[in-house]
């Protein structure tokens, strides 16, 4: 017989009953009448049985994005719960990551949360599976490949220099600055948006509302964050529609991602491409929004964490600066960073990997079981949610001794497969990885060559959002080197 106890969920204003069975801890949510007996029972069982793990589960319920599997050590490799009508399993370890991320034979599909499904639309890469997913990935991969990105190098470099020029002698919030930089880059790359002006402002305002609607309750009632998110999404789509119309009329021709989709891949255009390789306007819009959403917060967070970790680790900063000053010293023609230099920054790449390990920007990767299967001797049933706890994989002391230490030399030698998942792995591995690294390498080059900075606050708290970011936005004071 399993044990049963109750907690009061202040967020949803109901009683949560938690039952523990002998095989795995099972969390059951039920709306039950509040009466004194239940509360008395709950209080007794709480005193008797509650553990830090159960407190962290409650934290998860109050805030679904909080990292509650951080100290996995005491609870084994599997945690199973029953949340909002569905079995939800959290797993860790290389075996689980191999099975879940390689997703062989259609065993799993990506498990996008409800608000994400509604905002991004049914054609999003994040909502397609199997052959349709492969086809979409092919269309997206080409402009995001290293060769495809070369044409954006100049724009990114100019934006990095201009952003940093504004920093001297000022207090800046690194997160805000990184957000504005990465949004300008992706807006320009996708649809040639100018980095300033009315269109950029509208784009930015809509994007911010869309982005914050992801962590909202899914009530489409006027005034709610979710409702505002859907409205902002529609306004963003109207903007893309009008850009597509001007491109089709031949009024404007650009060398951007949207143009490549319109010329090569829009349904009905007269090119030699197979009709199967073409997208409707709705498919184009859903996937442009997907790239914006998937690429913006992640790169913003990575850049902010990287600046923070460098500030806290002077020896790493010194070694990194040496790499960049050497690149600068070797330059014969002119003073500006070149494409070939940015592709040859070995230590910087290790610093980026260590940042993604240490910060683990996306704390878990979520899948839905498309069939029954087994992981590490544990039976998973069709329809269950399975989340890979990446924080504990990235902090496994067997692979990463002294895991809290920021140490890029961990990446001097190749690691075992599936032990580092900064950009994921397998068919869902991040298609924007080259763009993210390019933005970070360029930005960091100019930062460490020209400036020094000091943190204005000591605060390690993490924002309780889907993408983990420093809560205080990392305020710093910047001076020329
Ligand atoms: C440092 C920055 C970034 C990090 C850490 C990151 C991380 C990741 C990870 C871990 C995944 C796989 C998640 C899973 O398996 O469930 C992923 C997927 C994805 N990323 Fe990124 N990403 C970054 C930047 C970008 C950028 C710049 C773009 C686009 C321009 C992008 C677009 C996507 C898309 C569309 C997917 C879904 C792929 C699919 O389902 O096939 N990401 N990212």
């Amino acid at each position: 017989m399993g044990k049963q106890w109750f907690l009061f969920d202040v967020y949803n204003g109901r009683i949560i009953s938690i039952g523990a069975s002998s095989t795995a801890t099972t969390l059951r949510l039920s709306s039950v009448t509040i009466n004194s007996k239940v509360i008395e029972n709950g209080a007794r069982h709480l005193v008797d049985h509650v553990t830090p793990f159960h407190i962290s589960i409650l934290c998860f319920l109050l805030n679904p994005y909080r990292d509650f599997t951080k100290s996995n050590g005491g609870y084994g490799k599997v945690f199973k719960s029953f949340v909002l009508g569905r079995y939800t399993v959290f797993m860790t370890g290389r075996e689980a990551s191999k099975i879940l991320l390689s997703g062989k034979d259609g065993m799993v599909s990506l498990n996008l949360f409800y608000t994400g499904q509604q905002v991004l639309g049914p054609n999003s890469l994040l909502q397609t599976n199997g052959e349709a997913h492969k086809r979409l990935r092919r269309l997206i991969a080409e402009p995001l490949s290293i060769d495809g990105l070369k044409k954006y190098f100049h724009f990114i470099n100019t934006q990095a220099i201009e952003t940093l020029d504004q920093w001297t002698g000022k207090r800046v919030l690194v997160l805000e600055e990184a957000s504005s930089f990465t949004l300008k880059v992706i807006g320009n790359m996708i649809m040639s948006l100018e980095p300033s002006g009315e269109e950029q402002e509208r784009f930015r305002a809509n994007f911010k509302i869309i982005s914050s609607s992801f962590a909202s309750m899914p009530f489409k009632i006027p005034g709610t964050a979710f409702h505002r998110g859907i409205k902002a999404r529609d306004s963003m789509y109207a903007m893309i529609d009008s850009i597509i119309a001007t491109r089709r009329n031949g009024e404007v021709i650009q060398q951007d991602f949207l143009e490549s989709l319109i010329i090569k891949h829009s349904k009905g255009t007269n090119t030699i491409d197979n009709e199967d390789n073409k997208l409707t306007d709705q498919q184009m819009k859903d996937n442009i929004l997907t790239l914006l959403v998937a690429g913006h917060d992640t790169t913003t967070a990575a850049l902010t964490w990287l600046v923070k970790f460098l500030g806290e680790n002077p020896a790493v900063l010194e070694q990194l600066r040496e790499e960049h000053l050497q690149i600068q010293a070797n330059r014969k023609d002119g003073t500006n960073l070149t494409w070939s230099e940015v592709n040859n920054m070995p230590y910087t790449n290790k610093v980026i990997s260590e940042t993604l390990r240490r910060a683990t920007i996306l704390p878990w990767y979520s899948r839905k079981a498309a069939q029954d299967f087994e992981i590490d001797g544990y039976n998973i049933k069709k329809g269950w949610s399975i989340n890979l706890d990446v924080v504990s994989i990235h902090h496994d002391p067997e692979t990463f001794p002294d895991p809290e230490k920021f140490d890029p030399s961990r990446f001097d030698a190749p690691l075992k497969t599936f032990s580092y998942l900064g950009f994921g792995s397998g068919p869902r591995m991040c298609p924007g990885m080259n763009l993210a690294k390019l933005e970070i390498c360029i930005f960091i080059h100019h930062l460490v060559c020209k400036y020094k900075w000091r943190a204005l606050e000591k605060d390690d708290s993490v924002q309780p959002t889907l993408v983990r970011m420093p809560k205080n936005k990392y305020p710093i004071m910047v001076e020329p080197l």
Side-chain angles (χ1 to χ4, degrees), residues 101 110 125-128 133 137 140 144 186 189-190 287 290-303 352 356 361-362 364-367 421-425 427-433 435-437 439-440:
L101 300 188
L110 197 96
L125 184 71
L126 303 183
Q127 298 215 60
T128 52
H133 174 253
R137 287 264 324 193
I140 284 167
L144 288 173
I186 202 154
M189 200 206 123
I190 290 182
N287 284 293
T290 299
L291 289 183
L292 290 172
V293 166
H296 173 264
D297 284 9
T298 44
T299 315
T300 299
L303 199 45
I352 295 174
L356 298 184
I361 286 163
L362 299 172
W364 56 68
Y365 305 160
S366 190
R367 299 291 187 269
L421 301 167
F423 287 103
S425 186
R428 297 269 174 188
M429 187 167 181
C430 179
M433 161 172 101
L435 173 62
K437 284 195 199 167
E439 290 179 67
I440 296 171

Side-chain angles (χ1 to χ4, degrees), residues 356-376:
L356 298 184
R357 178 198 74 80
R358 183 62 183 69
T360 311
I361 286 163
L362 299 172
W364 56 68
Y365 305 160
S366 190
R367 299 291 187 269
K368 188 172 164 193
Q371 60 189 58
D372 295 358
F373 59 91
E374 197 189 294
I375 298 180
D376 270 340

Side-chain angles (χ1 to χ4, degrees), residues 65 112-122 124 126-127 210 213-216 218 226 230 233 289-290 293 466:
Y65 304 126
L112 186 63
F113 48 96
Y114 180 78
T115 42
Q117 289 174 19
Q118 295 296 306
V119 177
L120 294 179
S124 162
L126 303 183
Q127 298 215 60
I210 295 171
S213 73
F214 279 100
S216 65
F226 183 57
I230 297 281
R233 189 271 317 267
L289 187 61
T290 299
V293 166
L466 182 58

Side-chain angles (χ1 to χ4, degrees), residues 110-174:
L110 197 96
N111 191 19
L112 186 63
F113 48 96
Y114 180 78
T115 42
Q117 289 174 19
Q118 295 296 306
V119 177
L120 294 179
N123 305 295
S124 162
L125 184 71
L126 303 183
Q127 298 215 60
T128 52
N129 293 301
E131 282 310 308
H133 174 253
K134 274 194 202 148
R135 187 172 72 92
L136 264 179
R137 287 264 324 193
R138 266 202 309 276
L139 301 184
I140 284 167
E142 187 194 315
L144 288 173
S145 66
I146 296 191
D147 280 349
L149 290 172
K150 195 172 175 181
K151 58 177 181 260
Y152 307 110
F153 170 73
H154 179 69
F155 181 87
I156 303 174
N157 196 39
T158 308
Q159 287 315 307
I161 295 171
E162 287 183 0
T163 303
L164 286 165
D165 276 352
Q166 312 287 319
W167 285 20
T168 326
K170 275 201 206 135
R171 173 189 189 269
V172 294
L173 292 173
V174 178

